Amino acid sequence: MSREPKIERFNSNVKSKYEVYNAIFMTLPFDGISNTGVLLPLFHSICKAGYEDNKNPSEIIEYFFERYMRNASAKEREDLLFKFIQYIERQVVLFDAIEDASYRIVNNMDGRGTLRNIKEEAEATGKKEELIAYLNTFKIRPVLTAHPTQFYPGVVLGIINDLSEAIREDRLEDIKSLLAQLGKTPFFKKEKPTPYDEAVSLIWYLENVFYHSAGAIYDYLHKHLIQDEAFSNSLVDLGFWPGGDRDGNPFVTTEITLKVARKLRSTVLRNYYRELRQLRRRITFQGTGELLGSLEAALYKAIFVEGKPEIDQKHILAVLKEVRDVVRDKHQSLYLDHIDSLIHKVELFGLHFASLDIRQDSSIHKIVFEEIVAHAQIDGKAIFPKNYLNLSESDQIEFLNKVSGSLDPNDFDNEVVTKTLGSIYAMKTIQEENGEKGSNRYIISNSQSALHVMQAFTFLRLCDWDMPTADVSPLFETVPDLIAAPEVMEALYTNPTYSAHLKRRGMRQTIMLGFSDGTKDGGYLMANWSIFKAKEAMTAMSRKYGVTVIFFDGRGGPPARGGGKTYQFYASLGPKIEAQEIQLTVQGQTISSNFGTLDSCQYNLEQLLSSGVANEVFASANNDITDTDRATLEALAQKSYEAYTAFKQHDKFLPYLERMSTLKYYAKTNIGSRPSKRSQKSTLDFGDLRAIPFVGSWSQLKQNVPGFYGVGTALASFEEKGTLGEVKELYKNSSFFRTLLENSMMSLTKSFFGLTAYMADDKEFGAFWKILFDEYERSKRLMLEVSGLKELMENEQAGKASIQERERIVLPLLTIQQYALRTIQEMQKSGEQSDKLEVYEQMVTRSLFGNINASRNSA
C-alpha cells in the first residue's frame, strides 16, 4: 500500500480529529455561561463573513451582539467576550495536542533529513567512511532560552502531554475528562515568573524529552552506523540560558545561577538513577549486583547534594563499562544494549545536563569597568592608572594584556559590579561541581570592538582565574557590527594574550550572531545576507590564523528572528562557511512545537544533524553562490535595506507601534521574568525595544512586517529595470536564497491585512498603514513571480494547512483584540475616564496568549 501524501495525512489525522474533538469540547459545561459553546461557532461565522464584506472588528462584534445578545447588558457582553477568549485559548491547546499526537504519522520519521536516510544515502554513494569521519567531529547544540514567547504554565503543558497520549490511543473517556480539566485550569499567571521558575519549566523538557530523544539518536548511530566503542564525539550538546542570561534581566543573581546549575545536575542524576533502577531488573547476573548496587546508592545520594557530589561522570562511566565487560564476557551480552544506552546518555549529559551560558551586554560591562578602574585595589594599590579610560582603544587593550590580580565582588558597593563579577565566580563553582561543560562560555551582547571582548576576558582573569577554562564569545547583532566583525576578530587573533588563551582552548572560537536584532535593525533580507557574508569573512579570517570558528546563531523561532526552516538553511550555507558545529537558540513555543514530544524532538534533532551532513558530505560541487548571483543578492539586500531604513525612520513608525499595536501590553502578560524594554524610560525608543515584543506586536496585528518588509521593494527594483530574470536565476541556483524567500513567504501566509483594513481610513495612521499593505501586496506578487509558485507555500501544503487551521481558530480572538484596542483608542481620544478602560486593557492582554501560542513561531 502506497503512503498517502503528507497533506492527506494531515487532513485525516489532524484536521478531521480536531473537528471531532472540538465538537465534544464545545459541549462540555465547564463555565458559568452555558451557551458560550453554542455562540462561539456563530461568532466565528460572523467574523469570517464580516471580513469578506470589508467590515471592521467593531462592526462585526456589534452586529453579533445585536443579532444574538440584543437584550444583554454591557457587562454580560464583556463577560461573553472573555469567555470566548478562554474557549479559544483551549481550542489552540487541543489543536497542539492533536498535532503532537499525530506527529509521527504526518511526518516521515525515516524520510529526508533523518538518520536512516543519511545512512542509506552514504551507503548508496560510497561515502559511509566519509560520513563516519565527519560525525567524529561534528556537533549540534540547541540552546534553550526563556525568552517570553509562550505562556503555558507547567500544569497546562502536562495536560497537553496527557491529552496527546490519550488522542494517540483513542481513549475517548480520558479525552473528555482531560478536555474538561483543560476548561477549568487557569492559563494566565498572576505574577511574573522568576528566572529560576523559567529554568524549572524548561528543565521539564530536558528531563522528559531531550534526555530520551538525544539518547535514542546516539544509540542509533552506535548500533547502525558507527559500531565503534572508541567513538567519543557526543554529537548532541545541549545549552541553557535561564539563570545565566543577564542581558537586560536584573532579576538574575549569582545565587540563582548556582541554583539553576544544581537543578540541572540533580535532574540528570535523577534520570540516571531511574534508568539504573530499571536496568537492575534485567541485569541480575553474577558479578554485576554489587557494582550496580553501589552505583545506585551513590547516584541517589548525589541527587540531594548542594555542593560538589562525591561521584563524577568518569566514575559513573567506569562502573557501567565494567558491568558491560562482565555481561559481554560472561553472560552472552544479554541486555547489553540496555547498558550501552545508559552509557551513551552519561557520555552525552555528564553531570551538567546542559551547558549554562552567561550573557551580559557590553554597555553593562562598560559601567563595571569604569567602577573597577576607579575603585579596584590590591594591597592598597590601584590596579589601573587614573588616566586609563582616557587612553586610546589600542593602549587600553595593551594594558589589559598585562593586568593581573584577584577581585572580590564584596569589595564593591555597586550592585552591577558585584553581580557581574559574581557570575564569573559562579562559573568557576559550577565547573568544580558539574564539570567544565557545566558553564564555560561568557557571551557579550552588542559587541562592537575588540576592547569589548578583552574587557570581558579581563573580568575572567581578575576573578582569580589566571588561565580561564571558559570561552569569551562576542555577539554581533546590527548590520554595522556584522560588517566590522572580521576586523574585530583579527585584532583578537593577533593579540598575544588572547591568542595564548585560544591555544589553551584548542584554537576554537565561538562567535554568536543575532538574527533577531539584526532583522530589527536592518530588515529581513539585509540581516540574513549580512550574517551570511560575515560568516564567510570570519571563516576566512579564522582559517588564516588556524582558528576553528564555531557560529552560534540567535535564530529564535519565526523567520523574522532568523528561524523558519532550519534544515534547509543550514544545508544551504556552502563551503566558505565553517560548519563543524551547528548551534542555535530555541525559544518559547518553538521549544514545545519542534522539541515538545519524543517524536518531534528526535525528528528535529536529526534534521539539524543531517543538515550539517548535507552541507559537508553530500554537498554538490556548485553549492557555492556564483559571482553573478552574489551581485544580484547584494543589490537586492541593499535595496531592501534602504526601503526598511526609510520605513523605520518614518515619523509614524514608533507612534503606530505604540498606539495601534499590542506592544505595551506585552509587559503585562507575566510570561517572562525579563523586562520588555532594555531601559525604563517613559518614552518609547527604538534602540530600547526588544526583538520579541517588536516582532510579536507585528504578529498580533497579523502584519508580520519584520518577515518581509523591503523584500517586495527590492524585487520591484529589478522588475522596473526589466532584470527580474536575474532574480529568478538566483532563486533557481541558490538554495540559500530559496530558503530565505520560502521563510519570508511563511510570514506572508500568516498575515491578514483584512483585520486592520479599517486603519486605512484613520486620519493619523491611514497613509502609514497603506505603506505596509502596499509592501505586503508587492512582496507577495513578486515572490510568487520569482518562485514560479501559484500561491504562497504551495510546495509545503501540510505546513500551510496547519497555519490556516490555526489562523481560522484564532480569527475571533483577533477580532476581539482589535475591538478592544479600538474601544480603548476611542475612550482615550474622548478623554473618557472610566473603569471600562481597565476592562478593555485586560481584554487585550488576555487575547495575546492564544494568538502567541497559535502562531507556534510568532510570525
Side-chain angles (χ1 to χ4, degrees), residues 360 363-372 374-375 408-422:
Q360 184 55 280
S363 62
I364 299 298
H365 288 163
K366 183 175 182 292
I367 295 170
V368 174
F369 221 82
E370 288 171 354
E371 284 288 313
I372 290 175
H375 301 294
D408 185 342
N410 297 318
D411 290 342
F412 296 87
D413 296 328
N414 188 311
E415 185 183 22
V416 174
V417 178
T418 58
K419 280 187 174 183
T420 302
L421 299 183

Side-chain angles (χ1 to χ4, degrees), residues 497-549:
T497 304
Y498 193 81
S499 64
H501 167 70
L502 281 178
K503 286 175 185 174
R504 291 192 298 271
R505 300 297 293 165
M507 295 300 284
R508 293 165 68 84
Q509 172 68 53
T510 301
I511 299 172
M512 189 174 179
L513 301 157
F515 280 78
S516 53
D517 280 298
T519 301
K520 174 175 158 272
D521 172 64
Y524 176 74
L525 202 54
M526 177 59 90
N528 280 277
W529 179 232
S530 296
I531 288 172
F532 186 94
K533 290 192 298 180
K535 282 185 174 182
E536 286 188 328
M538 286 188 283
T539 295
M541 183 65 66
S542 299
R543 287 173 178 170
K544 175 182 174 182
Y545 291 98
V547 176
T548 300
V549 65

Side-chain angles (χ1 to χ4, degrees), residues 633-698:
L633 191 39
E634 181 69 44
L636 285 169
Q638 189 58 44
K639 282 291 183 183
S640 172
Y641 183 55
E642 291 168 5
Y644 180 79
T645 301
F647 166 66
K648 194 173 64 172
Q649 292 172 348
H650 194 288
D651 60 355
K652 296 302 177 187
F653 180 86
L654 286 177
Y656 181 85
L657 271 179
E658 194 167 26
R659 286 157 49 195
M660 305 300 280
S661 83
T662 58
L663 181 67
K664 68 179 182 181
Y665 296 93
Y666 266 79
K668 301 178 182 182
T669 56
N670 292 333
I671 56 178
S673 69
R674 197 169 66 167
S676 59
K677 292 196 299 180
R678 283 190 168 88
S679 79
Q680 300 307 307
K681 290 184 290 190
S682 57
T683 55
L684 183 63
D685 182 89
F686 184 79
D688 289 335
L689 271 179
R690 289 199 174 278
I692 288 167
F694 175 73
V695 172
S697 296
W698 292 113

Side-chain angles (χ1 to χ4, degrees), residues 264-279:
L264 285 164
R265 185 186 71 225
S266 67
T267 302
V268 78
L269 287 173
R270 188 179 297 111
N271 276 19
Y272 296 157
Y273 176 76
R274 289 174 185 148
E275 193 162 343
L276 186 62
R277 296 263 297 179
Q278 294 172 354
L279 188 64

Side-chain angles (χ1 to χ4, degrees), residues 278 429 461 597 713:
Q278 294 172 354
T429 301
R461 291 159 54 218
T597 67
T713 298

Side-chain angles (χ1 to χ4, degrees), residues 1-9 12-13:
M1 180 177 172
S2 61
R3 189 176 177 87
E4 290 180 325
K6 189 173 182 179
I7 180 62
E8 291 182 21
R9 301 198 301 273
S12 58
N13 291 280

